[in-house]
C-alpha cells in the first residue's frame, strides 16, 4: 500500500514540478529520506524520485544542490546492484551538461565520486568516471592532467583487455595530443584506437568520434579530400544517433574542407543539401559567410565575417586554426597582386589598397621576404618596399665549375704520372 502511495506521490510531484517546484521538491525529498528496502517496486520509486529531483535541480540551474544530491544519496545506492548504482551515478552526473558554467563543479563532483568508487571497490564505475574526468579536463584545456590520467588508464585497461573502454581512452589520448599540437603522437594514438576497435563491436557514436578525429588529423596534413570523406562518415553517424550538435560540427568541417580546396560550387551544393537544411543555423551561416568572402578574395569581407560570427568561428579550435591559415594565404595572395606592378612602393599605399593597418601589412611583408615569397627589402626609414626582379640562374657558372673540376682531374693525373717517373 505504501509503495503504491509513493508512486502516486511521484506522479503528482512531476505535475507540480513546473508550477510549484518547491512542493515537488518536498515530495521527492520525503521519499528519498526513507531507505528503499529490498522491494523491487520501492527501489524503482526511489530511483524515479532521485532522478526527478535531479532533473528539477537541472531545470532550475541549481548546480550546488545537484552536486549535494549526488554526494548525499550515493551511500544509499550501495544497497542496489552494482550495475544499477553505476548507471544512476552516471545519469546524475549527466544532468550537469545542460547547465552552463558548471565545469569546475563537474570536475570536483566527479573526483569525489571517483574516491567513493575506490572505497566501494567498484572498479568498473571508477574507470567510467575517470574517462569522464579526462573529457572534463579537455574542456578545461588542462591537457597535462588529462594525459596523466590517460596513461594510468591505458596501463590498467591493457592489462584487463577491456577493448571498448580502451578504444574510448585511446581516442581521447589522440584528441589531447592533437590539441597540444603533437600531430604524430595524435595519429599514433588514433591508429591504436582503430586497431582496438577492429576486434570489438564499436557503438555508432564512438565510431563517429573515430571518423571525426581521422578527418581532423588528415586536415592538419592539408589532405582535405580524405578529411572530407571522413567527415561525411562522422556526420552520418551522429545524424543516425540524433546528436545534432556533433552532426552540425561535422557539417561545418565538411564546408571548411571545401573552402580550403577553393571549391565554391561544392560549398553551394553542400549548403542546399538535405542535411544542411536540417541543421541550418548560425554555425552554417558563419561558414557560408567565410566561403563567400574567400570566393570574392575580399579581406575586408573576410574580417567582417570573423567579427560577426566570432563565437561560432572562434569557439571551435579546429575551425579557428584553419581559418587563420586561410586568412594568411588570402593576405599573401592579395599583397602579391597589389605589389606586382611596382619596383618601389610605399607600404602605406599597399595597406590602403588591401584595406589593412600599415603595421600589420609591414609585418606580413617582412615575413614574406624572409620566406622568399617575394625578393626585396623593407626601407623602414622611408616606409618603402623595394622589390627586385628574380634573377635566373646563369648556366655559365655551372659550366665553369664543371670545367674547373675536369681541369683538377687532369692536373691530378699529370701529377701521378710525374711521381711515377721520379720513382
Amino acid at each position: 500500500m505504501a509503495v503504491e502511495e509513493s508512486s502516486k506521490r511521484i506522479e503528482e510531484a512531476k505535475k507540480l514540478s513546473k508550477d510549484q517546484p518547491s512542493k515537488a521538491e518536498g515530495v521527492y525529498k520525503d521519499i528519498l529520506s526513507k531507505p528503499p528496502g529490498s522491494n523491487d517496486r520501492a527501489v524503482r520509486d526511489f530511483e524515479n524520485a532521485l532522478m526527478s529531483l535531479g532533473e528539477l535541480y537541472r531545470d532550475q540551474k541549481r548546480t550546488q544542490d545537484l552536486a549535494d544530491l549526488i554526494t548525499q544519496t550515493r551511500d544509499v545506492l550501495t544497497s542496489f546492484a552494482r550495475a544499477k548504482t553505476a548507471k544512476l551515478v552516471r545519469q546524475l552526473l549527466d544532468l550537469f551538461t545542460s547547465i552552463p558554467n558548471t565545469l569546475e563543479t563537474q570536475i570536483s563532483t566527479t573526483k569525489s565520486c571517483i574516491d567513493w568508487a575506490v572505497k566501494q571497490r567498484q572498479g568498473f564505475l571508477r574507470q567510467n568516471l575517470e574517462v569522464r574526468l579526462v573529457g572534463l579536463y579537455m574542456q578545461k584545456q588542462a591537457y597535462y592532467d588529462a594525459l596523466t590520467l590517460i596513461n594510468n588508464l591505458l596501463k590498467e585497461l591493457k592489462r584487463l583487455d577491456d577493448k571498448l573502454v580502451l578504444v574510448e581512452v585511446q581516442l581521447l589520448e589522440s584528441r589531447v595530443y592533437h590539441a597540444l599540437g603533437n600531430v604524430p603522437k595524435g595519429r599514433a594514438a588514433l591508429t591504436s584506437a582503430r586497431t582496438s576497435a577492429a576486434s570489438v563491436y564499436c557503438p555508432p557514436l564512438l565510431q563517429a568520434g573515430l571518423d571525426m578525429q581521422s578527418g581532423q588529423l588528415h586536415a592538419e596534413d592539408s589532405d582535405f579530400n580524405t578529411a572530407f570523406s571522413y567527415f561525411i562518415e562522422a556526420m552520418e553517424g551522429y545524424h543516425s544517433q540524433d546528436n545534432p550538435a556533433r552532426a552540425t560540427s561535422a557539417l561545418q568541417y565538411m564546408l571548411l574542407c571545401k573552402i580550403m580546396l577553393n571549391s565554391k560550387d561544392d560549398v553551394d551544393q553542400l549548403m542546399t543539401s538535405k542535411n544542411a537544411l536540417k541543421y541550418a543555423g548560425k554555425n552554417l551561416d558563419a561558414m557560408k559567410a567565410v566561403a563567400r568572402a574567400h570566393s570574392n578574395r575580399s579581406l575586408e569581407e573576410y574580417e567582417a565575417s570573423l567579427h560577426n560570427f566570432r563565437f561560432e568561428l572562434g569557439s571551435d579550435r579546429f575551425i579557428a586554426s584553419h581559418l587563420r591559415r586561410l586568412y594568411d594565404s588570402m593576405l599573401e595572395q592579395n599583397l602579391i597582386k597589389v605589389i606586382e606592378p611596382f619596383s618601389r612602393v610605399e607600404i602605406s599605399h599597399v595597406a590602403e589598397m588591401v584595406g589593412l593597418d600599415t603595421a600589420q601589412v609591414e609585418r606580413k611583408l617582412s615575413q614574406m621576404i624572409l620566406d622568399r615569397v617575394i625578393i626585396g627589402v623593407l626601407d623602414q626609414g622611408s616606409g618603402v618596399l623595394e622589390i627586385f626582379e628574380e634573377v635566373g640562374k646563369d648556366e655559365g657558372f655551372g659550366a665553369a665549375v664543371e670545367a674547373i673540376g675536369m681541369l683538377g682531374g687532369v692536373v691530378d693525373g699529370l701529377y701521378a704520372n710525374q711521381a711515377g717517373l721520379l720513382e
Side-chain angles (χ1 to χ4, degrees):
M1 191 73 181
V3 173
E4 289 180 8
E5 186 182 340
S6 294
S7 300
K8 287 179 182 177
R9 290 178 70 196
I10 290 169
E11 291 301 321
E12 288 171 7
K14 284 182 179 179
K15 291 174 185 176
L16 293 169
S17 60
K18 288 186 179 178
D19 301 326
Q20 297 174 295
S22 56
K23 279 190 177 180
E25 182 183 352
V27 173
Y28 293 140
K29 282 186 172 179
D30 183 53
I31 294 169
L32 295 174
S33 64
K34 299 163 189 174
S38 56
N39 187 310
D40 287 345
R41 181 73 180 273
V43 168
R44 271 201 307 275
D45 287 340
F46 186 90
E47 181 183 339
N48 202 352
L50 178 61
M51 289 307 302
S52 298
L53 182 56
E55 287 165 3
L56 181 69
Y57 288 152
R58 177 200 63 193
D59 296 338
Q60 294 186 326
K61 296 181 170 53
R62 292 163 62 179
T63 309
Q64 194 54 51
D65 287 333
L66 179 56
D68 292 339
L69 176 67
I70 294 170
T71 52
Q72 288 165 10
T73 56
R74 67 192 179 197
D75 288 330
V76 181
L77 299 179
T78 53
S79 61
F80 293 5
R82 289 196 167 210
K84 188 180 283 292
T85 302
K87 180 186 170 187
L88 283 171
V89 170
R90 289 199 304 271
Q91 285 178 338
L92 286 168
L93 287 169
D94 284 338
L95 296 175
F96 280 112
T97 54
S98 55
I99 308 175
N101 305 318
T102 58
L103 189 57
E104 290 297 336
T105 308
Q106 287 188 64
I107 289 172
S108 60
T109 308
T110 306
K111 281 182 176 178
S112 171
C113 289
I114 288 170
D115 294 337
W116 174 77
V118 170
K119 288 176 185 174
Q120 297 296 321
R121 296 183 180 178
Q122 294 211 30
F124 180 73
L125 174 59
R126 176 187 56 76
Q127 286 174 5
N128 274 273
L129 292 175
E130 284 180 345
V131 172
R132 179 189 292 270
L133 185 58
V134 169
L136 294 172
Y137 278 146
M138 285 188 67
Q139 289 180 43
K140 191 185 175 183
Q141 297 184 8
Y143 298 119
Y144 291 103
D145 290 334
L147 271 180
T148 304
L149 199 52
I150 283 170
N151 290 333
N152 294 333
L153 274 168
L154 286 174
K155 288 175 189 173
E156 185 179 350
L157 292 168
K158 284 174 182 174
R159 190 176 65 250
L160 295 172
D161 201 30
D162 190 340
K163 294 286 188 186
L164 193 57
V165 183
L166 183 62
V167 172
E168 195 173 347
V169 174
Q170 286 169 333
L171 176 58
L172 286 168
E173 183 186 20
S174 177
R175 286 173 178 166
V176 170
Y177 279 125
H178 181 209
L180 288 169
N182 194 336
V183 175
K185 280 198 172 183
R187 191 177 291 108
L190 182 64
T191 303
S192 300
R194 285 199 170 277
T195 304
S196 302
S199 59
V200 68
Y201 169 72
C202 204
L205 274 177
L206 186 55
Q207 183 60 52
L210 290 168
D211 290 331
M212 187 81 106
Q213 184 64 10
S214 296
Q216 290 188 17
L217 291 177
H218 277 286
E220 292 296 346
D221 294 335
S222 300
D223 186 1
F224 294 107
N225 284 314
T226 308
F228 181 80
S229 64
Y230 276 116
F231 290 140
I232 290 175
E233 295 294 329
M235 191 201 67
E236 288 177 354
Y238 288 126
H239 175 70
S240 67
Q241 294 302 301
D242 196 23
N243 191 329
R246 299 298 293 167
T248 304
S249 293
L251 191 53
Q252 277 185 284
Y253 296 166
M254 288 164 63
L255 287 165
L256 178 66
C257 288
K258 290 302 179 185
I259 292 169
M260 298 300 283
L261 289 167
N262 197 22
S263 303
K264 184 181 180 297
D265 293 341
D266 290 341
V267 170
D268 294 338
Q269 191 177 344
L270 267 175
M271 288 302 299
T272 55
S273 65
K274 182 176 67 176
N275 287 322
L277 295 174
K278 178 173 181 179
Y279 298 114
K282 290 199 79 175
N283 287 325
L284 295 189
D285 290 343
M287 298 307 295
K288 189 175 181 180
V290 168
R292 190 187 306 114
H294 181 249
S295 175
N296 296 336
R297 301 291 179 196
S298 169
L299 283 171
E300 190 177 347
E301 195 177 334
Y302 190 88
E303 286 194 327
S305 302
L306 294 180
H307 177 74
N308 295 336
F309 297 100
R310 53 188 174 277
F311 176 75
E312 289 78 13
L313 298 174
S315 58
D316 190 308
R317 289 168 59 92
F318 178 72
I319 290 176
S321 167
H322 283 280
L323 289 184
R324 279 195 297 273
R325 290 188 199 176
L326 187 63
Y327 179 80
D328 284 342
S329 173
M330 283 178 65
L331 177 56
E332 202 170 278
Q333 289 170 14
N334 274 265
L335 287 172
I336 290 170
K337 188 177 178 182
V338 167
I339 66 177
E340 194 174 12
F342 301 100
S343 60
R344 181 180 170 89
V345 60
E346 289 184 356
I347 298 168
S348 57
H349 177 69
V350 176
E352 188 182 339
M353 292 283 285
V354 295
L356 293 175
D357 181 58
T358 305
Q360 186 181 352
V361 169
E362 189 175 324
R363 280 197 304 273
K364 184 61 183 175
L365 285 171
S366 63
Q367 183 189 333
M368 288 168 70
I369 290 170
L370 290 170
D371 293 341
R372 300 195 66 78
V373 176
I374 55 175
I375 298 169
V377 291
L378 280 171
D379 185 347
Q380 290 179 310
S382 54
V384 167
L385 169 68
E386 291 187 27
I387 305 146
F388 309 129
E389 287 189 16
E390 188 174 357
V391 181
K393 288 183 180 179
D394 191 337
E395 294 180 4
F397 288 113
V401 170
E402 189 179 346
I404 291 168
M406 292 172 71
L407 284 171
V410 170
V411 170
D412 290 342
L414 289 171
Y415 175 79
N417 288 336
Q418 288 302 316
L421 292 170
L422 290 171
E423 288 175 359

